[in-house]
Amino acid sequence: QSALTQPPSVSGSPGQSVTIPCTGTSSDVGGYNYVSWYQQHPGTAPKLIIYDVSKRPSGVPDRFSGSKSGNTASLTISGLQAEDEADYHCCSYAGSYNPFVFATGTKVTVL
Amino acid sequence: EVQLLESGGGLVQPGGSLRLSCAASGFTFSSYLMTWVRQAPGKGLEWVSSISGSGGSTYYADSVKGRLIISRDNLKDTLHLQMNSLRADDTAIYYCTWGGGATGSGIDYWGQGTLVTVSS
């Protein structure tokens, strides 16, 4: 039950795009199309922003997009805004006995 | 409106026990997998345990297996987590969560979380 890997931090200026990679293995990210991403502002519960690799829940702005190639999933935030400054967590399904494998999380800073 | 309201957190000594509860509303509770996720101070998210809709199947992270027990009461729409033999590294905010899609698809709803502190 190893955690997925994300960079500790990324940053960008308003209007720019940032991409957060999430690296796993063929047993999790590479093996299933069940990657989800969560946004978490300080002191609040996480919020689902991407599910099934690239789908957005209702109400999530389309500047958030997800993709996957092999064992690495990615979250891209286009047109970065001040309110996007938060922690972002990647998660993958890894089988019925390990349904949610989380990554270490990435702090996005808007310069 | 979906609501998940956790209770039962607090300060407990190492080796002690605590029971968390989560009152669910706004969806057909008995039809869905329910999951506990925790977050240690300043750390990332960690899956703890899940239980099937009927309660007949339970799943645990290796780090809690044999010490934490997940259960549910489908008559009262309530999820529980019995925490035994607690250790300092169990200190975290514990979130009750629910995803309305396929298992692993994504966690749509999170409770506000309840803080468990294990310290002497």
Side-chain angles (χ1 to χ4, degrees), chain B residues 42-55:
Chain B
K43 301 296 185 182
L45 301 170
E46 180 188 15
W47 170 70
V48 173
S49 181
S50 298
I51 184 168
S52 63
S54 67

Side-chain angles (χ1 to χ4, degrees), chain A residues 31-109:
Chain A
Y32 306 93
N33 287 321
Y34 284 148
V35 175
S36 51
W37 290 87
Y38 303 85
Q39 178 192 61
Q40 186 179 28
H41 289 105
T44 68
K47 172 189 173 185
L48 179 67
I49 57 171
I50 295 288
Y51 68 101
D52 294 355
V53 176
S54 60
K55 298 176 182 177
R56 278 188 311 275
S58 174
V60 174
D62 60 5
R63 65 177 184 274
F64 293 95
S65 62
S67 63
K68 189 185 84 167
S69 178
N71 296 336
T72 299
S74 298
L75 173 71
T76 297
I77 309 174
S78 305
L80 201 59
Q81 299 184 6
E83 60 260 37
D84 298 334
E85 185 162 293
D87 293 326
Y88 291 82
H89 307 271
C90 167
C91 179
S92 176
Y93 180 74
S96 58
Y97 289 92
N98 198 10
F100 301 102
V101 179
F102 286 96
T104 46
T106 296
K107 180 175 179 57
V108 170
T109 301

Side-chain angles (χ1 to χ4, degrees), chain A residues 1-4 28 98 101-102:
Chain A
Q1 296 179 345
S2 299
L4 309 178
D28 39 62
N98 198 10
V101 179
F102 286 96

Side-chain angles (χ1 to χ4, degrees), chain B residues 32-109:
Chain B
Y32 294 96
L33 185 89
M34 294 294 295
T35 295
W36 289 98
V37 175
R38 70 184 180 184
Q39 186 171 34
K43 301 296 185 182
L45 301 170
E46 180 188 15
W47 170 70
V48 173
S49 181
S50 298
I51 184 168
S52 63
S54 67
S57 297
T58 56
Y59 313 92
Y60 297 95
D62 288 344
S63 59
V64 306
K65 205 170 291 183
R67 302 187 299 116
L68 275 57
I69 301 170
I70 192 171
S71 63
R72 64 193 299 159
D73 183 339
N74 285 345
L75 294 179
K76 296 182 178 179
D77 290 358
T78 303
L79 178 70
H80 300 288
L81 187 66
Q82 177 66 41
M83 309 175 73
N84 302 320
S85 303
L86 283 164
R87 312 184 306 217
D89 61 0
D90 293 316
T91 294
I93 296 173
Y94 285 74
Y95 293 102
C96 169
T97 74
W98 171 60
T103 299
S105 177
I107 299 174
D108 302 82
Y109 295 94

